[in-house]
Amino acid sequence: MTIFLVLGLFAGLYMLWLLFSLAVYALPIATGISLAFWLHDQGQGYPAAILGGFAGGVAVLVVGQLLLAYARSPLIRIGVALLFVVPAGIAGYHA
């Protein structure tokens, strides 16, 4: 019985760590899924929709990281950070 409590504690802590560490990817995942559904609704097949959604999500993540790394203006950095923080906050609230 005690081992199950300890393992349950570790599993809960791992899930909490996973929730917070994966919250960064909320915007690229939402963008990729939305793009994949849109492509599928436009008549594309499943492989094209999946690849397009994956490419869109990766593009959002890479562009966001590049903007945060190379933008000199604090307003641009705050804007990009807010674009990533708001979906992460919504996903965390619903989790």
Side-chain angles (χ1 to χ4, degrees):
M1 180 74 174
T2 306
I3 190 74
F4 290 124
L5 290 175
V6 172
L7 288 177
L9 176 70
F10 284 134
L13 290 175
Y14 178 71
M15 292 298 290
L16 189 65
W17 172 79
L18 195 62
L19 174 72
F20 286 121
S21 65
L22 293 179
V24 175
Y25 302 112
L27 178 66
I29 288 173
T31 304
I33 290 173
S34 298
L35 182 61
F37 278 130
W38 182 77
L39 285 172
H40 188 332
D41 287 341
Q42 296 300 317
Q44 301 296 323
Y46 285 112
I50 291 170
L51 288 175
F54 182 74
V58 169
V60 166
L61 182 64
V62 168
V63 168
Q65 287 180 348
L66 287 175
L67 279 174
L68 281 176
Y70 294 116
R72 295 187 187 265
S73 171
L75 292 176
I76 293 175
R77 286 184 159 191
I78 289 172
V80 172
L82 282 176
L83 282 175
F84 278 84
V85 166
V86 170
I90 293 170
Y93 176 75
H94 288 288

